[in-house]
Amino acid sequence: LGVTIGTSYLVIDPVMPPELDGLDVDLVLAGHAIKIRYHVSKNGCGPQLVELNGTALGFQREANPYRCGGVRISLEQFKAGLGGVDDRLTVWLD
């Protein structure tokens, strides 16, 4: 699913086939229940947009010599966007 959480950041770096477009998963991130929906295009990697509860999150692209890299999102920004109920993270992959 390509989700890694660190002490001050969240990395989103999935690689998945287009057949998984629309995949929904339920996870606990930073102590909060969250539903993640993946929109997968032909390449199936390299997030182009990440939204939390409908709001685009700022990110830094991670380097990857073989494909478009994942994105690093500030954990502070992520936590600030949580609503507490029915939180949804949406990831658009290239």
Side-chain angles (χ1 to χ4, degrees), residues 4 26 29-30 45 55 59 61 68 73-74:
T4 305
D26 293 311
L29 295 175
C45 63
T55 300
F59 59 77
R61 176 85 49 200
C68 184
I73 298 165
S74 156

Side-chain angles (χ1 to χ4, degrees), residues 25-64:
V25 295
D26 293 311
L27 294 177
V28 175
L29 295 175
H32 299 274
I34 189 158
K35 182 176 289 290
I36 302 177
R37 171 163 286 173
Y38 294 92
H39 293 284
V40 185
S41 193
K42 65 178 180 168
N43 292 325
C45 63
Q48 300 302 305
L49 175 65
V50 179
E51 289 183 341
L52 179 59
N53 296 324
T55 300
L57 296 175
F59 59 77
Q60 292 182 321
R61 176 85 49 200
E62 294 208 309
N64 187 311

Side-chain angles (χ1 to χ4, degrees), residues 2 6 8 15 23 27-28 40 42 44-45 47 58-60 66 69-70 78-79 81 88-89:
S8 63
V15 176
L23 175 69
L27 294 177
V28 175
V40 185
K42 65 178 180 168
C45 63
F59 59 77
Q60 292 182 321
Y66 305 105
F78 174 75
K79 287 181 177 180
R88 179 178 290 272
L89 189 70

